[in-house]
Amino acid sequence: MQESPFAMTGRSAEEYLNERQKFVWRRPDRFNFVRDILYELAVTRPKATALYWTSAENEVDIASFEALRHRVNRAAGLLRAIGVNRGDVVLVFLSREKAWWEMMLACLQLGAIASPGTTQLMEKDIAFRLRTTNAAAVVTNATLAERVDAAAEDEHWRGAKVIVEGDRAGWTAYAAFAGAPVEDCADTKADDEALWYFTSGTTGNPKMTVHGCGYPLGHETTGRFWLRAGPDDLVWNVSDTGWAKGAWSSLFAPWLCGAGIFALHANSVDPERILSWLEKFPVSILCAPPTAYRMFVRHDLNGCRPMRLRHCVSAGEPLNPEVIEIWRNKMGMQICEGYGQTETTILC
């Protein structure tokens, strides 16, 4: 008989079910994630790790909740300076640059609508989003800036453009911004629009999914019952930030549980690097798509000794039972699969 997966995470099935039975949704009439979650953590746990950022070039930047608040306020100052107002749409085409977290949160702070997209978008994809959203601004990196310029010209779009690295004619350089930060937060209603995500568009044009300002609170179940995160945890989601999964495990769920978020900024998912990073950094919870786990088990896991890893989850498509079994036998952890949609939080 197999050991219960709960036993591997330090919590029995009985404890899990009791916690679930006592769970009550928070359903406030007004909610702003930055004001009500980030600012609260910046006061109650100012020095705790909020974002543990690394890069393929071995850069490390650890931001506390207090430090992250200041960074977000600076990003909000830039957005306000270029004319972004409450209810405006900001297209955020970034990977795992630190600016992704800062700009996403700055939009929420101002009551603007953030619409993320992956860095794999081509000119026609960007043009579709410019046309569909009537965005007030685009934030992107040097890789996509040329495509944005071409798409903007095709669509006769004349909104503001922010580049997060380097300089480019006609763009505002995020790194060079020296204006005043913004500390006030929009007093948004829970059902005010906050996030516009696009589906993958496998059967036609991508469909837009709208989430309100209260949507982040839906990820309390994601954080508590699937990630099983707490204040001492560091959560690493290797999925791309451009998809809704980024909101799940790279933004809302960990911070709702007081956990820190870990990130690796790299051009691709490198299984050897990820396994090495698990040994090198204090990641306690790993969230990865099935494709990544399939790559992991092709490597020799006998010598893999993660520093702190205690819990693993997967989502996006069904994971092969044999992969789950190999990971369980080699790493001593059950991979807990989750199912949800762009339109939802986790469902089961």
Side-chain angles (χ1 to χ4, degrees):
M1 180 175 169
Q2 285 192 336
E3 183 181 13
S4 165
F6 297 101
M8 297 181 178
T9 61
R11 179 164 58 168
S12 69
E14 183 179 3
E15 289 172 323
Y16 174 88
L17 293 172
N18 286 339
E19 184 177 344
R20 193 181 72 176
Q21 187 175 25
K22 292 185 293 184
F23 178 76
V24 177
W25 289 104
R26 284 194 275 175
R27 305 179 74 174
D29 292 330
R30 312 190 80 85
F31 183 76
N32 184 302
F33 184 82
V34 172
R35 179 191 65 195
D36 300 321
I37 302 300
L38 176 59
Y39 279 19
E40 179 69 18
L41 288 167
V43 171
T44 59
R45 305 183 65 231
K47 303 305 179 185
T49 298
L51 180 62
Y52 198 127
W53 183 90
T54 68
S55 76
E57 290 72 37
N58 290 300
E59 301 167 286
V60 176
D61 183 3
I62 305 174
S64 66
F65 285 109
E66 183 178 52
L68 183 63
R69 170 180 175 161
H70 293 305
R71 295 183 185 187
V72 173
N73 291 164
R74 176 177 176 269
L78 180 145
L79 291 179
R80 184 169 286 180
I82 62 173
V84 173
N85 296 306
R86 181 168 174 170
D88 286 342
V89 178
V90 179
L91 297 176
V92 184
F93 301 147
L94 294 172
S95 181
R96 298 170 190 84
E97 295 93 343
K98 287 174 280 188
W100 182 80
W101 284 268
E102 295 161 13
M103 286 293 176
M104 290 291 291
L105 291 170
C107 288
L108 297 176
Q109 178 185 339
L110 296 177
I113 299 168
S115 183
T118 78
T119 53
Q120 304 303 313
L121 295 175
M122 302 309 292
E123 181 183 329
K124 64 178 180 61
D125 305 311
I126 296 170
F128 175 75
R129 283 160 172 76
L130 292 174
R131 182 169 64 251
T132 305
T133 65
N134 191 29
V138 172
V139 180
T140 194
N141 55 28
T143 302
L144 263 72
E146 185 175 349
R147 296 178 215 168
V148 170
D149 277 339
E153 191 64 28
D154 290 342
E155 295 295 322
H156 306 289
W157 180 82
R158 296 293 181 264
K161 294 178 286 189
V162 179
I163 191 166
V164 301
E165 52 191 28
D167 295 300
R168 185 177 176 87
W171 291 70
T172 297
Y174 182 38
F177 178 69
V182 171
E183 296 186 2
D184 59 291
C185 296
D187 184 27
T188 44
K189 296 179 181 178
D191 59 358
D192 284 347
E193 295 182 7
L195 293 163
W196 286 3
Y197 272 102
F198 284 86
T199 61
S200 57
T202 51
T203 59
N205 283 330
K207 308 300 188 296
M208 189 166 68
T209 298
V210 179
H211 289 299
C213 292
Y215 165 78
L217 289 174
H219 284 294
E220 286 197 90
T221 52
T222 307
R224 290 176 60 178
F225 300 112
W226 184 50
L227 295 177
R228 302 175 192 169
D232 296 326
D233 285 311
L234 194 59
V235 180
W236 185 5
N237 171 35
V238 305
S239 299
D240 195 289
T241 55
W243 303 111
K245 189 66 183 66
W248 289 35
S249 304
S250 297
L251 191 60
F252 299 133
W255 287 337
L256 285 168
C257 297
I261 292 170
F262 184 85
L264 165 61
H265 182 40
N267 291 329
S268 61
V269 177
D270 181 339
E272 288 190 21
R273 183 186 289 124
I274 291 174
L275 293 171
S276 172
W277 251 234
L278 289 173
E279 295 182 315
K280 185 177 180 180
F281 295 101
V283 174
S284 55
I285 300 170
L286 177 67
C287 176
T291 303
Y293 284 109
R294 293 184 191 114
M295 291 191 291
F296 295 158
V297 298
R298 294 194 185 102
H299 289 73
D300 182 9
L301 297 176
N302 291 316
C304 185
R305 297 291 182 270
M307 182 186 292
R308 278 191 64 206
L309 189 64
R310 67 170 181 81
H311 183 51
C312 302
V313 300
S314 178
E317 60 176 296
L319 182 56
N320 316 56
E322 58 269 28
V323 173
I324 295 175
E325 190 63 21
I326 293 171
W327 187 263
R328 177 188 174 90
N329 290 337
K330 297 293 186 179
M331 304 296 283
M333 282 169 279
Q334 175 79 23
I335 300 172
C336 296
E337 294 187 87
Y339 171 74
Q341 298 169 301
T342 304
E343 297 87 347
T344 69
T345 61
I346 194 165
L347 295 174
C348 60

